[in-house]
Amino acid sequence: MSQPTSSPRIPRLLETERIYLRPFETTDVDDYFPGLFDPEMRKLTGTQNSFTRTQVERFVENAGQDESRLMLLIALQENDQLIGEVVLMDMHAKNRSAHLRIGIDRAEHQGKGYGSEALLLMLDYGFGICNLHRIELEVYAFNERAVRTYERLGFQREGIRRDALYYNHQYHDAILMSMLEHEFRERHAPGQMTGPARQGN
């Protein structure tokens, strides 16, 4: 009797024991598309527009060709389920800076530390591989859980963009936060993050 063949291992760019980050493929659009209409996620990200599947597919294709953007999906190690995305974008070679964005797409996966793990992986990659000096992000003031997470990881508040977002009949402030390379290294010792090359497999 022939032995069953195992399915090919899904490529992993970065990983921890619980999650891994991998590139976005056009075949992922069907799983990704419904999350763009989740009411809570739309509020947290300040999403005001609607999108068609074709628009999302075209965006993914273009993002893959954009050298200033690294867009990775977050998946669970136990079952390969996609739970969100983390993105380095607007990477500027001369300034060695970039903007960071993350989203965990379902309430059942939030509050479990997956976002923090994904952020640390991407920060480690941004500072250690992409040679960035500064990584910044914006978070809306009403998203207090995210603000606490960013501060716990070592992001510093730099300022507030007042009334930056109009959503649900109200204006909301946006908080600008950033981390510099030496701040990351002082807080998160090198070698703590794991990727295929560091794991030796």
Side-chain angles (χ1 to χ4, degrees):
M1 179 181 295
S2 62
Q3 295 294 323
T5 57
S6 59
S7 59
R9 189 172 190 265
I10 297 175
R12 292 153 166 80
L13 179 62
L14 303 164
E15 58 186 318
T16 67
E17 290 185 0
R18 299 197 304 163
I19 65 167
Y20 63 89
L21 308 184
R22 68 169 176 84
F24 204 127
E25 302 290 344
T26 54
T27 52
D28 295 313
V29 172
D30 286 335
D31 291 326
Y32 179 79
F33 183 62
L36 298 176
F37 296 91
D38 179 79
E40 183 68 10
M41 281 302 299
R42 288 178 67 85
K43 178 183 178 182
L44 294 178
T45 57
T47 302
Q48 297 162 317
N49 297 330
S50 180
F51 306 94
T52 66
R53 188 190 184 286
T54 300
Q55 287 175 316
V56 174
E57 191 172 50
R58 188 179 303 121
F59 169 77
V60 171
E61 291 175 351
N62 292 337
Q65 304 299 318
D66 185 355
E67 294 184 356
S68 71
R69 177 185 295 262
L70 177 60
M71 182 176 178
L72 299 176
L73 291 174
I74 307 169
L76 298 178
Q77 292 277 17
E78 59 181 349
N79 57 14
D80 298 322
Q81 182 180 1
L82 300 179
I83 63 170
E85 65 176 336
V86 59
V87 186
L88 274 177
M89 53 191 179
D90 303 324
M91 286 191 278
H92 194 287
K94 291 183 179 179
N95 293 329
R96 296 173 58 206
S97 63
H99 192 89
L100 179 66
R101 177 170 61 82
I102 188 171
I104 302 295
D105 62 6
R106 293 183 180 88
E108 65 198 79
H109 298 131
Q110 297 171 1
K112 295 184 177 181
Y114 295 136
S116 294
E117 290 184 30
L119 285 167
L120 285 172
L121 286 173
M122 191 63 108
L123 288 167
D124 187 58
Y125 193 83
F127 289 125
I129 302 298
C130 299
N131 194 31
L132 295 173
H133 172 69
R134 169 190 168 88
I135 296 178
E136 65 179 33
L137 59 83
E138 273 195 352
V139 56
Y140 296 114
F142 57 74
N143 194 352
E144 296 178 358
R145 182 172 62 184
V147 173
R148 290 194 298 268
T149 296
Y150 297 140
E151 289 181 331
R152 186 172 64 251
L153 293 178
F155 279 89
Q156 304 293 317
R157 296 193 189 210
E158 291 192 336
I160 294 177
R161 291 202 302 127
R162 298 178 299 164
D163 290 355
L165 172 70
Y166 183 76
Y167 203 91
N168 197 23
H169 305 280
Q170 290 183 318
Y171 279 101
H172 304 277
D173 293 343
I175 302 172
L176 176 63
M177 309 180 78
S178 73
M179 187 184 297
L180 303 181
E181 57 179 324
H182 72 273
E183 294 170 340
F184 175 81
R185 294 186 180 115
E186 289 169 2
R187 197 178 189 100
H188 307 283
Q192 295 299 314
M193 305 302 99
T194 59
R198 295 185 184 181
Q199 290 180 321
N201 56 22

